[in-house]
Amino acid sequence: MSATPSIEPLDSRMHCFVRRAAQTLVALVVAAPAMRAQSLSPSTLGISVQVHGVGGTMNTAIYPGASGSTALGVGGEVAYGASPRLSLVGRLARITSTSAIITESTDYAMLQGDIGLRWMSSPGARVRPFAEAGLALRRLAFEYADRANVTSDFSAFNGGATMSVGVMVFQTNTMSVEGAGTYTSGNFSTWKVNGEPEALAQMPSEMLGARIGVRYWFKK
């Protein structure tokens, strides 16, 4: 009498199938970014545009020893990749904060425009570290009420230096995300009060912060 072959229960076979399918799915999910990264061949030549958020600590005071205050802003950038490593950069951002720029805390807004150069390493790579340096043009504006409770509009303009170090990570050949640490400094000395020139004390100002943005590359 021959032995009857054993038949694996249906529940056991189904469990095995589900487990193998899950393992295969996990393997594909893990492997997909690496496969996608290998297929990328991003170029930084030509024109790109970026939108970003910026935040950090702003030190702006007409007297020494004032503590920094948190500053937040949004901005945009246009860049031109002249070579795989070198780009021309133009950036504009609006930054707001509350700071003891005078004897009481005051809300102020700063409009900052940067013009400079970006140097990038690892041409053609998906991950590209970079460094930037350039000129920062800034306009500071705030309102202040004096002891007689008369409110005046104050504004000042300056030119200073800006620099940053960061990394650019391509998600596709035409889209990248990036983060950078930034530093900007300069002294406000050209003042206006209610639109009229005013001889006021020079105000040192610097900001140490970070910038996070998304960039789109226009391909030729």
Side-chain angles (χ1 to χ4, degrees):
M1 183 175 180
S2 61
T4 304
S6 60
I7 300 177
E8 187 178 5
L10 179 61
D11 289 345
S12 177
R13 286 182 291 168
M14 182 62 70
H15 176 74
C16 182
F17 172 78
V18 172
R19 183 178 61 189
R20 290 180 179 176
Q23 291 173 343
T24 302
L25 180 60
V26 170
L28 289 174
V29 170
V30 171
M35 295 170 60
R36 186 166 58 248
Q38 291 176 359
S39 66
L40 292 180
S41 56
S43 169
T44 54
L45 296 176
I47 297 174
S48 66
V49 294
Q50 180 220 56
V51 292
H52 62 265
V54 60
T57 300
M58 183 81 76
N59 292 305
T60 304
I62 59 175
Y63 56 91
S67 60
S69 60
T70 300
L72 298 172
V74 294
E77 176 192 302
V78 177
Y80 175 73
S83 75
R85 292 186 182 273
L86 191 64
S87 295
L88 308 176
V89 179
R91 184 182 299 116
L92 185 65
R94 185 179 188 275
I95 302 168
T96 60
S97 184
T98 298
S99 178
I101 56 177
I102 43 182
T103 54
E104 295 87 14
S105 294
T106 303
D107 294 330
Y108 70 89
M110 183 180 295
L111 193 64
Q112 177 172 323
D114 300 338
I115 302 174
L117 297 175
R118 176 189 296 124
W119 183 89
M120 291 175 285
S121 67
S122 307
R126 180 180 180 235
V127 179
R128 301 200 62 181
F130 64 85
E132 297 175 352
L135 173 68
L137 303 175
R138 303 187 295 174
R139 181 184 184 275
L140 177 73
F142 62 91
E143 294 181 349
Y144 175 63
D146 60 20
R147 293 181 179 180
N149 204 30
V150 176
T151 300
S152 298
D153 294 321
F154 286 74
S155 65
F157 177 83
N158 82 344
T162 183
M163 61 189 70
S164 60
V165 177
V167 62
M168 185 181 300
V169 182
F170 280 84
Q171 306 303 304
T172 70
N173 284 329
T174 57
M175 192 272 284
S176 63
V177 296
E178 62 190 66
T182 65
Y183 176 77
T184 305
S185 66
N187 297 324
F188 290 103
S189 57
T190 303
W191 287 92
K192 288 186 177 182
V193 179
N194 295 326
E196 297 297 327
E198 189 79 19
L200 298 178
Q202 180 173 274
M203 179 186 291
S205 177
E206 61 181 7
M207 180 174 177
L208 181 64
R211 182 178 71 243
I212 299 176
V214 177
R215 183 182 304 276
Y216 177 79
W217 299 81
F218 295 93
K219 298 302 177 181
K220 298 180 180 179

